[in-house]
Amino acid sequence: MLQRTFQHIPSVGPWREKDLWSRGIRTWDDFPEAGQGVALNRKSDDVARARIAEAKDALARRDLRKLAELLPSREHWRLYPEFQDDAVYFDIETDGREAQAPTVVSLFDSKGLHVFIQGRNMDALPEAMAARRLWVTFNGSCFDVPVLRDYFGPARFPVPDAHIDLRFVTRRLGMGGGLKEIEGKIGAERPPHMKGVNGYDAVLLWRAYQRRGDVEALRFLVEYNLYDAFQLRTLMDVAYNRGADDLNQDVPRLPVFERGDVLYDVSRIILELGPTERDLQTLARVRAMEQGG
């Protein structure tokens, strides 16, 4: 899809792009060279050739940031196949207070699952996210990223080369609703014990862990957040394929990610979440208060 994109050319939007395709100008290489025909008009064609050359050069250099700058943000989903190996899918949970602070953040990338927990390893999150140039979220541009940027500070929190927010991609494709609702529509439902769990439940689970050292509550919270992260890979694959279908383009469709590949890792991470020394101290304090009462 990327090399069939002409919306990085001034004055070319969705309609004019489709018009180019209908006239046989389907890829960058099909755009007529100077003196070999007119695609838009003589003046615009010169600009178009310059923009196409710029995009070709950026793609050859794997310059994701430059390509993202050239394309309208609504079309960044077209970058995905070329850069999916450099993508990170992530989601956060917060403490529910007015000044939101992250409690659990899960990342999923080509190296697997990664979990960051407040009071354990949250400080390592910015460096882990900086290692990936393409971010994929659901409503992350409105919530997750602003919360993390405020928490870590703009000087420390990284800026990706490109960010695909699937909330807006799926809406344009007629797949409206929240993440869990869309998961059901595409056949990627969660296991029975996770159904009906929501963001407020995540806040309550965190509070149970904080106040009583309840490691089981933490394990449930982490499992919930992990699903929010790695399910985005499946949704991204489906959304890209549906986007190509919607535009009726004969480009290769992506194999849709099967979550079975990571479920073992989810179980392993959860089981490894034993109590910290701080958790044991909290538990001892709660027990002492109970005995004293």
Side-chain angles (χ1 to χ4, degrees):
M1 275 306 306
L2 179 57
Q3 296 186 58
R4 292 170 179 253
T5 297
F6 295 98
Q7 292 187 47
H8 61 304
I9 299 169
S11 79
V12 175
W15 184 88
R16 296 196 78 177
E17 181 180 61
K18 290 177 182 177
D19 179 61
L20 289 172
W21 291 338
S22 70
R23 291 189 283 122
I25 305 173
R26 297 185 177 89
T27 72
W28 294 341
D29 289 336
D30 295 328
F31 200 89
E33 296 182 7
Q36 295 188 2
V38 177
L40 301 168
N41 58 62
R42 295 189 185 281
K43 183 177 180 180
S44 296
D45 280 6
D46 289 338
V47 175
R49 280 186 280 269
R51 282 295 182 94
I52 290 171
E54 200 173 359
K56 282 184 175 181
D57 177 68
L59 181 57
R61 293 185 290 104
R62 309 289 298 166
D63 189 343
L64 175 58
R65 185 177 295 276
K66 181 61 178 179
L67 288 166
E69 289 173 354
L70 288 171
L71 291 179
S73 59
R74 68 176 182 273
E75 304 300 338
H76 282 181
W77 64 274
R78 303 186 188 195
L79 297 163
Y80 178 66
E82 299 286 351
F83 296 94
Q84 61 180 311
D85 290 341
D86 208 8
V88 60
Y89 315 81
F90 69 93
D91 185 81
I92 76 171
E93 308 302 336
T94 69
D95 58 8
R97 298 178 179 177
E98 184 175 354
Q100 304 261 21
T103 56
V104 176
V105 181
S106 293
L107 312 183
F108 180 50
D109 60 20
S110 60
K111 293 184 178 180
L113 294 168
H114 318 271
V115 177
F116 299 84
I117 301 172
Q118 188 64 250
R120 295 194 180 202
N121 62 341
M122 187 65 74
D123 197 52
L125 178 66
E127 286 68 31
M129 295 187 67
R132 296 295 174 179
R133 298 187 295 157
L134 175 61
W135 293 359
V136 180
T137 65
F138 191 94
N139 200 40
S141 61
C142 300
F143 181 73
D144 304 61
V145 171
V147 168
L148 293 174
R149 184 176 296 118
D150 288 346
Y151 179 77
F152 289 104
R156 185 166 178 219
F157 192 67
V159 176
D161 289 352
H163 179 179
I164 301 173
D165 190 331
L166 288 170
R167 174 189 171 190
F168 303 104
V169 176
T170 54
R171 181 185 295 174
R172 287 181 61 205
L173 293 170
M175 301 162 64
L179 175 59
K180 297 167 190 64
E181 181 182 350
I182 296 173
E183 288 173 353
K185 293 177 181 177
I186 66 173
E189 292 185 334
R190 304 187 184 206
H193 70 286
M194 300 295 295
K195 288 186 177 180
V197 183
N198 56 40
Y200 183 63
D201 294 323
V203 172
L204 296 180
L205 288 167
W206 178 253
R207 289 175 181 172
Y209 169 63
Q210 284 289 91
R211 293 170 182 174
R212 302 192 299 273
D214 188 339
V215 175
E216 287 307 308
L218 177 64
R219 285 173 172 159
F220 200 109
L221 173 59
V222 168
E223 182 180 13
Y224 170 75
N225 186 240
L226 282 167
Y227 268 86
D228 279 351
F230 69 75
Q231 293 272 80
L232 293 175
R233 167 71 189 275
T234 300
L235 182 55
M236 182 71 247
D237 292 340
V238 169
Y240 175 82
N241 290 343
R242 291 199 182 181
D245 290 344
D246 190 56
L247 293 173
N248 196 30
Q249 292 298 298
D250 58 341
V251 295
R253 301 311 193 252
L254 298 175
V256 177
F257 174 72
E258 292 289 343
R259 66 189 183 190
D261 295 341
V262 301
L263 292 184
Y264 171 80
D265 292 329
V266 171
S267 299
R268 176 183 54 79
I269 289 170
I270 294 170
L271 290 174
E272 289 176 353
L273 284 174
T276 65
E277 182 62 32
R278 179 171 176 267
D279 298 333
L280 295 174
Q281 292 172 0
T282 299
L283 184 58
R285 185 174 68 253
V286 170
R287 286 173 174 169
M289 291 172 63
E290 181 68 21
Q291 292 171 358

